[in-house]
Amino acid sequence: AALRLKEIFHAHPGWIVCSPEYNGSYTALLKNTIDWVSSPVKGHPQWSSGTRPFADKVVGLLSASPGALGGVRSLSHLAPLLANLQCWVSPMQFALARAADAFDAQGQLASEASRASVEAVVQKVLWATGKLHATA
């Protein structure tokens, strides 16, 4: 299953990582997933490098928190971890404050400004992915 997860990460040139803030950082589940995917497989012809699934991937970061900061502290922890794995982390990020009250009855973001911020992160990742992975 870990090899399949590596393949999934490697197959996509850009990602959006959404994580709630948990005690001022990203979740243990996200950290464990990154650890499994980045763990080298000794002697494996394709996965002997831990950075292979991550290298040159463009990553946009989103977070949410019930607090006033929206998880911005988790983003400040996650960005250097991904950069260390050779990802291109988008400087445009979004942290959703007061997440428990941020959605309408249909599960959509109630604030137009929040929707626009999420869309801006997605668009920046798509743009950067296109630039970084353009073929000549």
Side-chain angles (χ1 to χ4, degrees), residues 76-123:
S76 70
H77 295 177
L78 187 54
L81 172 64
L82 293 169
N84 187 57
L85 291 167
Q86 301 178 14
C87 292
W88 294 83
V89 179
S90 172
M92 184 173 289
Q93 303 170 3
F94 178 64
L96 179 66
R98 295 177 179 68
D101 301 319
F103 296 90
D104 63 22
Q106 290 74 39
Q108 302 297 312
L109 284 169
S111 162
E112 179 60 39
S114 293
R115 286 193 302 273
S117 294
V118 170
E119 180 67 22
V121 172
V122 171
Q123 290 304 317

Side-chain angles (χ1 to χ4, degrees), residues 129-136:
T129 301
K131 295 290 185 184
L132 186 62
H133 296 278
T135 57

Side-chain angles (χ1 to χ4, degrees), residues 11 34 38 40 47:
I34 291 169
S38 66
W47 303 116

